[in-house]
Each structure stands twice: as C-alpha cells, then as structure tokens.
Amino acid sequence: MHHIEEQHIGYLLRQTAHLSHTIYNKKLEKEGISVSQDSVLSLLYRSNGLTQKELQQALYIQASSLTKLIDTLEKKGLVTRIPHLEDARYKLISLTEVGSSLKNQLWIVKTEAEKEITKGLSKQEIEVLTQLLTRLKGDLLHY
C-alpha cells in the first residue's frame, strides 16, 4: 500500500493553517499584533471582561501560553487585568480604550487577509468550506 501524506486531511489542515497564519501575521504585524494576540482581542470584542479560564477554554490553548499573550497585550496597553468583584482570586481581562479602538482596523486587516487566502475559491466554495470546517470543528469538540 502506497501512503501519501499530502492526502491526509490532518496534514492538509496543518499545512493550510500554517500558511494562512503566515498571511494573517504579515498583515497584522503592520498593526503591531500577532494572530495569537488578535485571537484574544477578538474574544474580548465579543464579550469584554472574561476570566483567563474562559479565554483559555475558548482559544483551546495552555494556561501558560495565554498568560504570555495577556502579558504582551497588557504591556502594549491593549488589555488590563481587573479584580473580579465576587472573587478576588480571579482577574477579568478587559480591553483598554486603546485596545477597543483597534477593533475596526483589525477587522479590515483580517478581511483583506481572508480575501487573499480564499482568492482561488468561488463564493459557493467558500460557503461550503466554511460549513465543512464548522462541522468538523464541532465534531472534534466532542472528541
């Protein structure tokens, strides 16, 4: 039996994710943000004032990785740690005014990157790809 790595879905997903991250990072670096940092900001744009645990679960990353991301975003003045009102052991991660002000610009940059990534696909193919990836992600969450 002849095995071809390039035909494995896992291989294709990893390679595609790597290549698309490269494009996103190139676009976002003009704003002084990485893809990973943008992931945190994007969650906070939807729901500002999340705990580190909530962010960690939503991003599927290790606590130590998230701590480094938050430290970096805090140094850049984009987020702040606020003591939780009900439990002082927890900190809420909240956007600063500067962090909030980046929302529209980051969206424009990410939209440009997505257009570049999907330029070889038709609108219908993009819709099908989105549906398939969403379903695959949902299935993997139950793994």
Side-chain angles (χ1 to χ4, degrees):
M1 180 179 245
H2 189 63
H3 301 285
I4 301 173
E5 184 73 15
E6 290 81 7
Q7 293 178 345
H8 276 254
I9 290 174
Y11 174 85
L12 291 169
L13 286 172
R14 286 189 307 276
Q15 293 296 302
T16 303
H18 175 74
L19 293 168
S20 64
H21 268 97
T22 300
I23 291 170
Y24 277 110
N25 272 326
K26 281 183 183 175
K27 298 275 187 193
L28 288 167
E29 75 182 5
K30 295 171 188 167
E31 305 301 321
I33 300 292
S34 71
V35 171
S36 299
Q37 293 164 11
D38 177 69
S39 297
V40 174
L41 294 173
S42 292
L43 285 171
L44 294 174
Y45 291 143
R46 278 187 258 144
S47 183
N48 197 17
L50 296 172
T51 65
Q52 285 193 221
K53 185 73 169 174
E54 290 168 327
L55 286 167
Q56 179 191 351
Q57 290 172 340
L59 294 171
Y60 314 109
I61 61 174
Q62 298 293 319
S64 58
S65 298
L66 179 62
T67 299
K68 290 175 190 172
L69 283 171
I70 293 169
D71 287 347
T72 301
L73 290 168
E74 196 170 33
K75 285 175 189 166
K76 291 180 177 188
L78 304 177
V79 301
T80 187
R81 290 175 168 100
I82 300 171
H84 195 284
L85 292 176
E86 296 170 14
D87 191 338
R89 294 175 297 172
Y90 296 104
K91 304 277 189 234
L92 296 178
I93 310 306
S94 294
L95 293 161
T96 62
E97 234 178 271
V98 175
S100 293
S101 72
L102 287 177
K103 181 180 181 180
N104 290 336
Q105 182 58 29
L106 292 178
W107 185 256
I108 290 167
V109 170
K110 290 185 293 187
T111 300
E112 289 172 5
E114 189 162 307
K115 283 181 186 174
E116 191 172 321
I117 290 165
T118 60
K119 66 184 172 193
L121 302 175
S122 69
K123 185 177 179 183
Q124 183 180 7
E125 288 171 324
I126 292 169
E127 289 173 8
V128 170
L129 179 61
T130 301
Q131 291 169 354
L132 291 172
L133 290 172
T134 300
R135 189 167 78 200
L136 184 59
K137 178 184 170 188
D139 290 345
L140 293 173
L141 287 173
H142 296 102
Y143 179 72

